[in-house]
Amino acid sequence: MMLINPYSFGIGIRVLALYHFNSNFDDSSGNNYNLSGDAVISSAQSKFGGSSALFYVSDSVSSSVDAIPPFAESDFTVEFWMYYLREDNIFGAAAENLVGFLPSSLPSERLMIRLDSSIGGTLQVEMVGGSTTSGFITTSITKTNLRDRWAHIAFVRQGTSFKLYVDGTLAGSVTYSASFAIHSTLTIGKLPGGGNYYRGHIDELRISDIAVYTANFTPPTSPF
């Protein structure tokens, strides 16, 4: 199986938003999609840079309402590193929202990357397009697979093909024809209205306007 590492080929990537979580929740892309909330920067765990964003019990961060540009029909990549902390018997949640792009009111168009206990605690992506019909990518990657280690997550759209990679390996895919033609709030760690809280760290979150990965790849070995 061919492995592709786009970082070694100098592929041009236009970054929409970039968060290093080294000392703050600011967007380093220059687009100023800064985040705010009650999560904290922690040096307890770090993939790069000596710190990361920590979400503990009921913490989260979000951009200002409807700040992120619409994805529409365009290709994109959402990628980040996660370090999952929640033990099976601590503050159990039906679903834990990792990264979501949601409008100010549901059930409009949205994208959500989450852990869903109703399907065995597996990693899942929910997509609701302009027709309000849903598409799902459900993987076999469970909370146990992700606990107490750094895992690279990449969600990629290329045309009507949506793929979810974990540690550079394809974990699930779906063909889904959808338009996400509205501006969204980037929310990390919960649903915008509260609930579905994630417990763990997030580091190096990047949102790009191309399909960075089109086949299995080697995850980045340095910060973006």
Side-chain angles (χ1 to χ4, degrees), residues 37-48:
D38 46 17
V40 299
I41 300 298
S42 170
S43 60
Q45 292 291 339
S46 169
K47 181 61 185 178
F48 302 115

Side-chain angles (χ1 to χ4, degrees), residues 32-36 62-68 184-186:
N32 297 318
Y33 297 131
N34 299 330
L35 305 174
S36 61
S62 299
S63 64
S64 59
V65 175
D66 298 342
I68 302 298
S184 298
T185 298
L186 167 61

Side-chain angles (χ1 to χ4, degrees), residues 3-91:
L3 298 178
I4 296 177
N5 184 350
Y7 304 95
S8 65
F9 291 94
I11 294 175
I13 298 174
R14 192 170 80 89
V15 178
L16 298 177
L18 174 62
Y19 307 95
H20 296 299
F21 302 128
N22 288 338
S23 59
N24 54 45
F25 292 94
D26 291 349
D27 172 20
S28 298
S29 73
N31 291 323
N32 297 318
Y33 297 131
N34 299 330
L35 305 174
S36 61
D38 46 17
V40 299
I41 300 298
S42 170
S43 60
Q45 292 291 339
S46 169
K47 181 61 185 178
F48 302 115
S51 62
S52 62
L54 173 61
F55 302 85
Y56 193 78
V57 183
S58 59
D59 302 328
S60 66
V61 290
S62 299
S63 64
S64 59
V65 175
D66 298 342
I68 302 298
F71 290 125
E73 300 294 343
S74 302
D75 295 349
F76 63 79
T77 301
V78 178
E79 59 184 305
F80 56 92
W81 291 88
M82 64 175 290
Y83 191 105
Y84 185 59
L85 292 175
R86 190 189 301 271
E87 297 296 335
D88 289 336
N89 61 342
I90 297 179
F91 305 111

